[in-house]
Amino acid sequence: MDATAPAPPKHSFFQHGRGATHYQRVGADARPVVVLVSGATLPMGIWEPLVGPLVEAGFQVLRYDLPGRGYTRLDGLGADFQAHLEQLEQLLSGLGLAQPVHMLGLASGALVVAEFAVRNPSRVSHVCLLAPDGAATRFTLTERVLSLPLVGRLLFRSSAQRTLLARVPRYSSRTHVQAFIREQLRFSLSSPGFHEGVLATVRTFPLHQGEELYRRLASTGIPTCVVWGAQDPITPPRAAALMRTLFGQDAVQVLEGVGHLPFAEEPGAVAALVAKRFRVE
């Protein structure tokens, strides 16, 4: 068999000390691995538009469901920032990925990727931050309320579906992308542990204090690129100047005509951009 030929998708559960993580690997084992880390509310299915183009570009793709999202249950995992880092470390180690991997994180997932790279620089070849949280993102009234121990939990449980589905048009102006996001969100909302998982993200992630983390990432010397959609109202590119200072002028791309999920609107363009960056030594 050709070692570079695409392998059939593998949906599996990795059992580890604190629970089980649902993941998928696509692409030949001999290829360099790109790890995709989702944001707070969406399952790993949100990456579907990007998986094929990345495989066609010569990578193996590993994506997985975060605690309480998709098919990864919260049972025993925990859902705070440290738990996300432990989940990622255990998955990579358990799958025997000894060579450095490329990492791509969306929104709050960018914080997980950045922190993991800072702690494990020898295990990460390149980093790409997509619409990253943590730098120049505003602390909304909703987040302030959700941070309240009892009130936040009760409010989110009663309003999560209505609130999250209502903001879908802010992700993208394209109707087919909106339909795709709604499908993914509805599945996420039905996942056991979803509400607790999202609340833990709001309460324990450095969603608005990530600048120092990104400075530490820059100090590792790991090649990093940052991609925003110019029409993203959720995590707008206000921090583009800061990121250019940290990672270099050509490391930051603001894509015109797209919103919060550039890879869902223009998957071919994003895959080409990522592939080019990940092959630069």
Side-chain angles (χ1 to χ4, degrees):
M1 176 182 279
D2 182 356
T4 63
K10 307 171 188 175
H11 279 276
S12 305
F13 285 88
F14 172 68
Q15 300 285 338
H16 44 89
R18 298 181 63 184
T21 292
H22 175 244
Y23 71 94
Q24 182 198 48
R25 295 173 74 175
V26 185
D29 289 343
R31 294 178 173 184
V33 176
V34 177
V35 181
L36 307 178
V37 183
S38 307
T41 61
L42 294 164
M44 73 178 199
I46 197 63
W47 296 107
E48 190 64 30
L50 188 61
V51 172
L54 284 177
V55 172
E56 290 175 7
F59 297 99
Q60 179 188 165
V61 177
L62 169 62
R63 55 177 170 163
Y64 64 99
D65 282 324
L66 303 175
R69 284 75 155 189
Y71 291 111
T72 297
R73 300 178 67 90
L74 261 184
D75 303 342
L77 278 176
D80 62 9
F81 192 47
Q82 179 61 30
H84 282 70
L85 294 166
E86 291 175 2
Q87 180 195 31
L88 178 54
E89 192 284 326
Q90 290 169 357
L91 181 62
L92 296 182
S93 296
L95 295 179
L97 297 175
Q99 297 299 316
V101 298
H102 308 296
M103 308 197 84
L104 199 161
L106 168 66
S108 61
L111 296 166
V112 175
V113 165
E115 184 66 37
F116 184 88
V118 167
R119 297 186 187 187
N120 306 275
S122 65
R123 301 182 68 177
V124 180
S125 179
H126 294 80
V127 164
C128 184
L129 310 173
L130 276 178
D133 280 328
T137 50
R138 292 171 178 165
F139 198 33
T140 66
L141 177 60
T142 299
E143 289 173 318
R144 293 179 189 276
V145 174
L146 294 183
S147 297
L148 300 174
L150 180 60
V151 175
R153 178 175 286 106
L154 293 174
L155 178 65
F156 191 56
R157 283 193 173 277
S158 65
S159 66
Q161 180 165 325
R162 181 179 69 256
T163 301
L164 292 176
L165 291 175
R167 78 170 191 162
V168 166
R170 302 184 69 209
Y171 281 82
S172 172
S173 61
R174 306 184 191 188
T175 55
H176 73 283
V177 175
Q178 292 178 13
F180 170 64
I181 296 168
R182 287 191 188 94
E183 177 186 24
Q184 295 297 318
L185 267 176
R186 288 193 175 100
F187 174 59
S188 218
L189 284 158
S190 70
S191 304
F194 171 78
H195 297 87
E196 292 302 319
V198 174
L199 285 172
T201 296
V202 172
R203 294 171 177 176
T204 68
F205 276 51
L207 295 176
H208 307 284
Q209 300 85 32
E211 181 176 332
E212 178 56 31
L213 170 56
Y214 294 134
R215 291 187 183 279
R216 287 189 286 125
L217 174 61
S219 72
T220 67
I222 297 172
T224 298
C225 67
V226 189
V227 180
W228 272 289
Q231 280 69 56
D232 181 358
I234 297 174
T235 51
R238 299 189 192 99
L242 168 66
M243 295 301 199
R244 288 190 174 102
T245 299
L246 294 178
F247 302 114
Q249 289 294 318
D250 64 344
V252 177
Q253 298 290 326
V254 179
L255 304 180
E256 295 297 330
V258 298
H260 186 58
L261 302 178
F263 60 88
E265 296 182 294
E266 299 292 343
V270 172
L273 188 158
V274 169
K276 180 180 178 182
R277 295 294 306 187
F278 284 0
R279 290 197 172 99
V280 174
E281 299 297 334

